[in-house]
Amino acid sequence: MAKETLVLMVISLVGVMQWAKSTNAESWASRLEAEKENVTNLQFYFHDILSGKNPTAIKVAQPSADNKSPTLFGSIMMADDPLTEGPDPNSKPVGRAQGIYGSAGQNELALIMAMNFAFTDGIYNGSCISLLGKNPAMNPVREMPIVGGTGLFRFARGYAVAQTYWLDLATGDAIVGYNVTVVH
Ligand SMILES: *[C@@H]1O[C@H](CO)[C@@H](O)[C@H](O)[C@H]1NC(C)=O
Ligand SMILES: *[C@@H]1O[C@H](CO)[C@@H](O)[C@H](O)[C@H]1NC(C)=O
Ligand SMILES: *[C@@H]1O[C@H](CO)[C@@H](O)[C@H](O)[C@H]1NC(C)=O
């Protein structure tokens, strides 16, 4: 037991020494020159299904029943929506859009979107981008900021352009095309 602890201590000390050698900064901070940035364009479709037995987005909060807001102001949805390569729900899955969206507009339909696009295809499997912004969902084209990312998308910033491809007004089910450009 004691021997294992000692081995661990030696390993972590060697690690700290190497790390310290690689910088000329304080013990707790270091500065590295950044790699050159890349620009990546991603195009996929988002399937937001509210109806049926297996909805991909569910309402998790709403204002009291006497609030008759025409814009559903105050309603919040939690989504785990499939992302696919094409508009057909059976086309190749490329990831999931997991997060919340809610109605944040009193006089217009304006959603606040806080979503992680978690990719599962190819080299992007395991990498995420985070979207946070205003989505006036009835406009034909909406632009929203990409505020960060993980994996291959570390330090990501950019924008998403969303265009509704198909909408069932009765149920709210929608297929939305996303065209995302990120610098990372
Ligand atoms: C940019 O892309 C190149 C080639 O794919 C890669 O080697 C490099 O690590 C990328 N840089 C960043 C900062 O992601
Ligand atoms: C993505 O990565 C996970 C975990 O490493 C793996 O289980 C899965 O099969 C991968 N998916 C694809 C489509 O490559
Ligand atoms: C997607 O966005 C890129 C970058 O803004 C643009 O060049 C491209 O034409 C767009 N594609 C579509 C289908 O809108």
Side-chain angles (χ1 to χ4, degrees), residues 101-130:
Y101 63 87
S103 177
Q106 297 195 64
N107 302 313
E108 55 168 344
L109 184 63
L111 305 177
I112 162 78
M113 305 272 287
M115 308 282 290
N116 287 314
F117 291 155
F119 298 102
T120 53
D121 189 48
I123 59 167
Y124 299 106
N125 188 6
S127 295
C128 293
I129 55 176
S130 298

Short mmCIF file of all heavy atoms in Angstrom, two decimals, residues 101-130:
data_model
loop_
_atom_site.label_atom_id
_atom_site.label_comp_id
_atom_site.label_asym_id
_atom_site.label_seq_id
_atom_site.Cartn_x
_atom_site.Cartn_y
_atom_site.Cartn_z
N TYR A 101 -35.21 24.49 -24.82
CA TYR A 101 -35.64 25.71 -25.49
C TYR A 101 -36.95 26.15 -24.85
O TYR A 101 -37.72 25.33 -24.35
CB TYR A 101 -35.73 25.54 -27.01
CG TYR A 101 -36.73 24.54 -27.55
CD1 TYR A 101 -38.05 24.91 -27.78
CD2 TYR A 101 -36.36 23.25 -27.86
CE1 TYR A 101 -38.97 24.01 -28.31
CE2 TYR A 101 -37.26 22.34 -28.38
CZ TYR A 101 -38.57 22.72 -28.60
OH TYR A 101 -39.48 21.82 -29.10
N GLY A 102 -37.15 27.44 -24.81
CA GLY A 102 -38.33 27.95 -24.15
C GLY A 102 -38.80 29.22 -24.83
O GLY A 102 -38.05 29.88 -25.56
N SER A 103 -40.07 29.54 -24.59
CA SER A 103 -40.63 30.73 -25.20
C SER A 103 -40.27 31.94 -24.35
O SER A 103 -40.71 32.07 -23.20
CB SER A 103 -42.15 30.59 -25.30
OG SER A 103 -42.68 31.78 -25.84
N ALA A 104 -39.46 32.84 -24.92
CA ALA A 104 -38.95 33.99 -24.17
C ALA A 104 -39.54 35.30 -24.67
O ALA A 104 -39.14 36.36 -24.21
CB ALA A 104 -37.42 34.03 -24.25
N GLY A 105 -40.46 35.24 -25.64
CA GLY A 105 -41.04 36.45 -26.19
C GLY A 105 -42.49 36.63 -25.77
O GLY A 105 -43.28 35.70 -25.90
N GLN A 106 -42.82 37.82 -25.27
CA GLN A 106 -44.22 38.07 -24.88
C GLN A 106 -45.07 38.46 -26.07
O GLN A 106 -46.26 38.17 -26.12
CB GLN A 106 -44.29 39.20 -23.85
CG GLN A 106 -43.57 38.87 -22.57
CD GLN A 106 -43.96 39.83 -21.46
OE1 GLN A 106 -45.13 39.88 -21.04
NE2 GLN A 106 -43.01 40.60 -20.99
N ASN A 107 -44.45 39.16 -27.05
CA ASN A 107 -45.23 39.69 -28.16
C ASN A 107 -44.86 39.07 -29.50
O ASN A 107 -45.37 39.47 -30.54
CB ASN A 107 -45.04 41.21 -28.25
CG ASN A 107 -45.45 41.89 -26.96
OD1 ASN A 107 -46.52 41.59 -26.42
ND2 ASN A 107 -44.59 42.75 -26.44
N GLU A 108 -43.94 38.12 -29.49
CA GLU A 108 -43.55 37.43 -30.72
C GLU A 108 -43.12 36.03 -30.31
O GLU A 108 -42.75 35.80 -29.16
CB GLU A 108 -42.36 38.15 -31.39
CG GLU A 108 -41.19 38.29 -30.43
CD GLU A 108 -39.88 38.72 -31.08
OE1 GLU A 108 -39.74 38.64 -32.31
OE2 GLU A 108 -38.98 39.11 -30.31
N LEU A 109 -43.16 35.10 -31.28
CA LEU A 109 -42.67 33.77 -30.95
C LEU A 109 -41.15 33.80 -31.07
O LEU A 109 -40.59 33.81 -32.16
CB LEU A 109 -43.27 32.71 -31.87
CG LEU A 109 -42.82 31.29 -31.48
CD1 LEU A 109 -43.33 30.92 -30.09
CD2 LEU A 109 -43.29 30.26 -32.48
N ALA A 110 -40.48 33.88 -29.94
CA ALA A 110 -39.02 33.96 -29.90
C ALA A 110 -38.55 32.96 -28.86
O ALA A 110 -38.83 33.11 -27.68
CB ALA A 110 -38.57 35.37 -29.53
N LEU A 111 -37.85 31.93 -29.32
CA LEU A 111 -37.37 30.91 -28.39
C LEU A 111 -35.97 31.29 -27.92
O LEU A 111 -35.19 31.87 -28.66
CB LEU A 111 -37.31 29.55 -29.10
CG LEU A 111 -38.60 29.06 -29.74
CD1 LEU A 111 -38.36 27.73 -30.46
CD2 LEU A 111 -39.70 28.91 -28.71
N ILE A 112 -35.67 30.95 -26.68
CA ILE A 112 -34.29 30.94 -26.21
C ILE A 112 -33.83 29.49 -26.34
O ILE A 112 -34.45 28.58 -25.80
CB ILE A 112 -34.16 31.47 -24.75
CG1 ILE A 112 -32.83 31.06 -24.10
CG2 ILE A 112 -35.28 31.01 -23.85
CD1 ILE A 112 -31.66 31.86 -24.52
N MET A 113 -32.76 29.30 -27.10
CA MET A 113 -32.23 27.95 -27.34
C MET A 113 -30.92 27.79 -26.56
O MET A 113 -30.01 28.62 -26.71
CB MET A 113 -31.90 27.75 -28.81
CG MET A 113 -33.03 28.02 -29.79
SD MET A 113 -34.07 26.58 -30.08
CE MET A 113 -32.98 25.57 -31.10
N ALA A 114 -30.82 26.75 -25.77
CA ALA A 114 -29.57 26.42 -25.08
C ALA A 114 -29.35 24.93 -25.35
O ALA A 114 -29.91 24.07 -24.66
CB ALA A 114 -29.68 26.70 -23.59
N MET A 115 -28.61 24.64 -26.41
CA MET A 115 -28.52 23.26 -26.90
C MET A 115 -27.07 22.85 -27.09
O MET A 115 -26.23 23.65 -27.51
CB MET A 115 -29.18 23.12 -28.28
CG MET A 115 -30.59 23.63 -28.40
SD MET A 115 -31.83 22.53 -27.72
CE MET A 115 -31.80 21.20 -28.84
N ASN A 116 -26.82 21.57 -26.82
CA ASN A 116 -25.54 20.97 -27.20
C ASN A 116 -25.78 20.08 -28.40
O ASN A 116 -26.65 19.21 -28.35
CB ASN A 116 -24.98 20.13 -26.05
CG ASN A 116 -24.46 21.01 -24.94
OD1 ASN A 116 -23.75 21.98 -25.20
ND2 ASN A 116 -24.82 20.70 -23.72
N PHE A 117 -25.02 20.30 -29.45
CA PHE A 117 -25.05 19.39 -30.58
C PHE A 117 -23.90 18.40 -30.35
O PHE A 117 -22.72 18.77 -30.44
CB PHE A 117 -24.86 20.13 -31.90
CG PHE A 117 -26.02 21.02 -32.29
CD1 PHE A 117 -25.84 22.11 -33.12
CD2 PHE A 117 -27.32 20.75 -31.85
CE1 PHE A 117 -26.91 22.93 -33.50
CE2 PHE A 117 -28.39 21.56 -32.21
CZ PHE A 117 -28.19 22.66 -33.04
N ALA A 118 -24.27 17.18 -30.00
CA ALA A 118 -23.28 16.15 -29.68
C ALA A 118 -23.17 15.22 -30.89
O ALA A 118 -24.11 14.49 -31.20
CB ALA A 118 -23.74 15.38 -28.44
N PHE A 119 -22.02 15.27 -31.55
CA PHE A 119 -21.88 14.51 -32.80
C PHE A 119 -21.41 13.08 -32.53
O PHE A 119 -20.70 12.81 -31.56
CB PHE A 119 -20.94 15.24 -33.76
CG PHE A 119 -21.47 16.59 -34.13
CD1 PHE A 119 -20.98 17.74 -33.54
CD2 PHE A 119 -22.53 16.70 -35.02
CE1 PHE A 119 -21.51 18.99 -33.84
CE2 PHE A 119 -23.06 17.95 -35.33
CZ PHE A 119 -22.55 19.09 -34.74
N THR A 120 -21.84 12.18 -33.42
CA THR A 120 -21.52 10.75 -33.24
C THR A 120 -20.92 10.14 -34.49
O THR A 120 -20.61 8.95 -34.49
CB THR A 120 -22.81 9.97 -32.89
OG1 THR A 120 -23.80 10.26 -33.88
CG2 THR A 120 -23.33 10.34 -31.51
N ASP A 121 -20.78 10.93 -35.54
CA ASP A 121 -20.33 10.34 -36.80
C ASP A 121 -18.85 10.64 -37.09
O ASP A 121 -18.40 11.77 -36.88
CB ASP A 121 -21.19 10.87 -37.96
CG ASP A 121 -20.91 10.13 -39.25
OD1 ASP A 121 -20.89 8.90 -39.23
OD2 ASP A 121 -20.67 10.80 -40.29
N GLY A 122 -18.17 9.61 -37.59
CA GLY A 122 -16.81 9.79 -38.12
C GLY A 122 -15.86 10.41 -37.11
O GLY A 122 -15.92 10.13 -35.91
N ILE A 123 -15.00 11.30 -37.59
CA ILE A 123 -13.99 11.90 -36.70
C ILE A 123 -14.63 12.81 -35.66
O ILE A 123 -14.01 13.15 -34.66
CB ILE A 123 -12.92 12.71 -37.48
CG1 ILE A 123 -13.56 13.83 -38.29
CG2 ILE A 123 -12.08 11.79 -38.35
CD1 ILE A 123 -12.55 14.85 -38.83
N TYR A 124 -15.89 13.23 -35.90
CA TYR A 124 -16.55 14.14 -34.97
C TYR A 124 -17.23 13.42 -33.82
O TYR A 124 -17.77 14.06 -32.91
CB TYR A 124 -17.55 15.03 -35.72
CG TYR A 124 -16.85 15.86 -36.77
CD1 TYR A 124 -16.97 15.56 -38.12
CD2 TYR A 124 -16.02 16.91 -36.40
CE1 TYR A 124 -16.28 16.30 -39.08
CE2 TYR A 124 -15.33 17.65 -37.33
CZ TYR A 124 -15.47 17.34 -38.67
OH TYR A 124 -14.78 18.07 -39.59
N ASN A 125 -17.23 12.08 -33.86
CA ASN A 125 -17.84 11.30 -32.78
C ASN A 125 -17.24 11.71 -31.44
O ASN A 125 -16.03 11.64 -31.25
CB ASN A 125 -17.60 9.80 -33.04
CG ASN A 125 -18.37 8.92 -32.07
OD1 ASN A 125 -19.17 9.40 -31.28
ND2 ASN A 125 -18.12 7.62 -32.15
N GLY A 126 -18.11 12.16 -30.52
CA GLY A 126 -17.63 12.55 -29.19
C GLY A 126 -17.39 14.04 -29.04
O GLY A 126 -17.18 14.52 -27.93
N SER A 127 -17.39 14.79 -30.15
CA SER A 127 -17.19 16.24 -30.07
C SER A 127 -18.54 16.96 -30.05
O SER A 127 -19.51 16.48 -30.62
CB SER A 127 -16.38 16.73 -31.28
OG SER A 127 -15.08 16.19 -31.27
N CYS A 128 -18.57 18.07 -29.36
CA CYS A 128 -19.82 18.83 -29.20
C CYS A 128 -19.62 20.29 -29.58
O CYS A 128 -18.52 20.82 -29.46
CB CYS A 128 -20.26 18.87 -27.73
SG CYS A 128 -20.76 17.33 -27.03
N ILE A 129 -20.71 20.93 -30.00
CA ILE A 129 -20.73 22.39 -30.05
C ILE A 129 -21.94 22.87 -29.25
O ILE A 129 -22.95 22.17 -29.16
CB ILE A 129 -20.78 22.96 -31.49
CG1 ILE A 129 -21.95 22.40 -32.29
CG2 ILE A 129 -19.47 22.74 -32.21
CD1 ILE A 129 -22.08 23.02 -33.68
N SER A 130 -21.82 24.05 -28.67
CA SER A 130 -22.89 24.60 -27.84
C SER A 130 -23.48 25.83 -28.50
O SER A 130 -22.76 26.75 -28.89
CB SER A 130 -22.35 25.00 -26.46
OG SER A 130 -21.86 23.87 -25.80
#
